[in-house]
Amino acid sequence: MTVAGLGDGGVVLHGDRPAAAYVGPTALGWLRGRAPAAGQEGEYERCVRMWESAGFVTTGQQTPPASSVPTEVAARVALLTVVHPTLVVAVAEACGFCRQLRADLAANAKVLQDLRASVVLVEDGRCTVLGLPAPPGLAPLAEGLARSGTPSAVLLVPGAAPRAAMGYDQVSAVLIELTGGRCGGVLVEAPTNCSVKVASHPVDGLFAVRCGDGRLLGLATRGEQAREAAGPLASVPHPGYLPVTLIVERPANLYLLFRGGELLTRARTAEELAETLGRVLAGFTALAEGQVTLGCGTLVHPRGQAVLFPRNWMSDLVVRAARLQRVGWRIRPEPHAVLLPGGLLQVTGAGATMPVAAAWASPLGGPPTRARYLAQVVNWLVRPAPRAAVNAMAAIARELTVHTGTWQDALAHLTAGPPP
């Protein structure tokens, strides 16, 4: 955890997972070790409980989690019945991560047909078996797993101890390994509500393409024209299970490129699609030590200025890209924004930098203080984020002009006149 001051307040941020919170001036002092003043004890205790439940602090007084012994016993009993590797996965219809997992499994149907193992999805006691046949009686094991959240899984391999996996990322990693892939060799991005909506429609092609850091990435297509355009871009034969990260489709006269639920471009030709896709793939690179990498959108202007905006605005602004271009603004399709000391944006592929003129933040509940909005901007940091990167981003944010509003407000502001 890193605590960084942002003027009137600050941010507490987890460096390994996307968890962060704004803290007011008084709470910021408590996080830094200051004792509560007289009369503040109740508020202090409430804050500590909230921070502890979010994993920000450890007091040693947490209620221990429910025993996992019943699930462990059920896993060892189930292990006696399997004759080949079997992955038991607890899923739920209301879980967006589970819906994304099901979409990924559907896209990988051919790989699963040839799988010399079983994948058993269990929901409300109903089992769906993919790959080789699985023994009956695995539903109770999944019910125990589901109590810890969904999707969650256990891998049963004859002669080995059961191996648990929790969450979309871990379950996807097990599926990659189960089909012969290398752990860490395939890009796995956690889905959002928007990406689940885009992924819910079936795909009819899945290709493996290589990122800038050497990892493989799943590129899915919808429709014959999209498949013909994306096919030549595939860098390697299909190596095994690939979570879907990018989707290409051509519903009318434009090629649409999605990253999860974000529309990255509306290309008129296959050549334009290939050029944009190349820039996107190059942007997936390993984080350098101390590097400030943000998961946000970026607009750049020929006058040499950049504006940052929340990632979930990407689709709305891409649809209105022509309006932005009329006044010089262009949306960068790269997956991340890399900032250098002094708040300079590194322009991928151009070997150039430009200053970040401003950032837009979404409206928040609570008092609209500057520190609250700066905390939102700092939380754009891509994890894992070392302490040095958090502190560097906080220093950049303290000097940054931040506008607040919706994407409609940002569009009206940016197209009203010259860049800020």
Side-chain angles (χ1 to χ4, degrees):
M1 301 304 306
T2 303
V3 181
L6 296 170
D8 185 19
V11 60
V12 54
L13 184 142
H14 200 298
D16 293 328
R17 57 186 176 87
Y22 163 78
V23 287
T26 302
L28 185 60
W30 294 340
L31 274 173
R32 288 175 166 167
R34 185 184 305 154
Q40 294 180 332
E41 292 84 358
E43 184 66 14
Y44 172 79
E45 290 296 333
R46 187 179 72 84
C47 284
V48 169
R49 287 195 299 271
M50 292 176 62
W51 293 335
E52 189 173 25
S53 66
F56 293 150
V57 299
T58 301
T59 64
Q61 299 176 349
Q62 287 179 303
T63 302
S67 173
S68 60
V69 171
T71 302
E72 293 176 4
V73 171
R76 294 190 177 278
V77 170
L79 186 57
L80 300 175
T81 68
V82 301
V83 295
H84 50 253
T86 301
L87 181 67
V88 182
V89 188
V91 294
E93 177 59 32
C95 170
F97 294 99
C98 297
R99 294 199 298 275
Q100 180 68 51
L101 181 65
R102 286 186 181 275
D104 289 343
L105 289 167
N108 285 271
K110 187 177 185 307
V111 170
L112 297 172
Q113 286 175 1
D114 302 328
L115 183 64
R116 306 310 299 170
S118 301
V119 177
V120 184
L121 302 180
V122 184
E123 180 180 357
D124 296 332
R126 302 185 304 275
C127 296
T128 302
V129 181
L130 307 172
L132 296 178
L138 297 176
L141 171 58
E143 291 172 2
L145 294 170
R147 284 193 286 271
S148 299
T150 56
S152 52
V154 63
L155 177 62
L156 307 173
V157 179
R163 172 186 166 190
M166 170 60 69
Y168 172 83
D169 293 356
Q170 290 188 18
V171 175
S172 296
V174 174
L175 285 162
I176 291 167
E177 294 180 23
L178 203 57
T179 57
R182 180 177 62 85
C183 183
V186 177
L187 181 68
V188 180
E189 284 207 324
T192 64
N193 288 336
C194 292
S195 61
V196 172
K197 293 176 184 176
V198 173
S200 63
H201 303 288
V203 300
D204 50 20
L206 182 61
F207 302 92
V209 294
R210 200 170 293 281
C211 301
D213 59 7
R215 288 178 296 174
L216 297 180
L217 175 150
L219 171 66
T221 60
R222 293 194 181 106
E224 182 63 29
Q225 289 181 302
R227 190 163 58 250
E228 289 177 357
L233 306 176
S235 55
V236 296
H238 199 304
Y241 186 85
L242 289 169
V244 175
T245 301
L246 300 176
I247 298 177
V248 176
E249 61 181 51
R250 187 179 171 90
N253 61 342
L254 294 173
Y255 292 100
L256 306 182
L257 174 63
F258 292 91
R259 173 196 176 193
E262 302 161 16
L263 178 61
L264 299 183
T265 190
R266 300 195 298 171
R268 296 188 179 280
T269 66
E271 291 74 20
E272 185 181 339
L273 171 69
E275 190 273 335
T276 302
L277 182 59
R279 291 166 60 187
V280 173
L281 294 173
F284 286 108
T285 57
L287 302 183
E289 185 175 353
Q291 182 172 293
V292 176
T293 304
L294 305 181
C296 63
T298 311
L299 285 156
V300 296
H301 198 277
R303 296 183 184 180
Q305 292 176 312
V307 170
L308 310 178
F309 60 88
R311 178 174 157 177
N312 61 346
W313 292 5
M314 179 69 80
S315 296
D316 295 303
L317 294 183
V318 166
V319 169
R320 294 155 181 86
R323 181 175 168 186
L324 287 162
Q325 288 176 12
R326 281 196 288 271
V327 291
W329 290 108
R330 292 187 176 274
I331 302 172
R332 302 287 298 186
E334 288 82 5
H336 303 130
V338 178
L339 299 189
L340 304 176
L344 296 175
L345 174 74
Q346 179 175 299
V347 183
T348 307
T353 62
M354 61 177 60
V356 176
W360 278 83
S362 299
L364 297 170
T369 65
R370 173 174 165 79
R372 290 178 65 88
Y373 290 108
L374 292 182
Q376 181 183 151
V377 173
V378 174
N379 191 33
W380 290 345
L381 272 167
V382 174
R383 278 43 158 208
R387 186 180 302 274
V390 178
N391 290 330
M393 184 58 211
I396 292 171
R398 284 194 290 268
E399 304 300 322
L400 196 60
T401 298
V402 178
H403 304 288
T404 60
T406 64
W407 68 262
Q408 293 96 330
D409 296 327
L411 181 66
H413 177 84
L414 293 168
T415 56

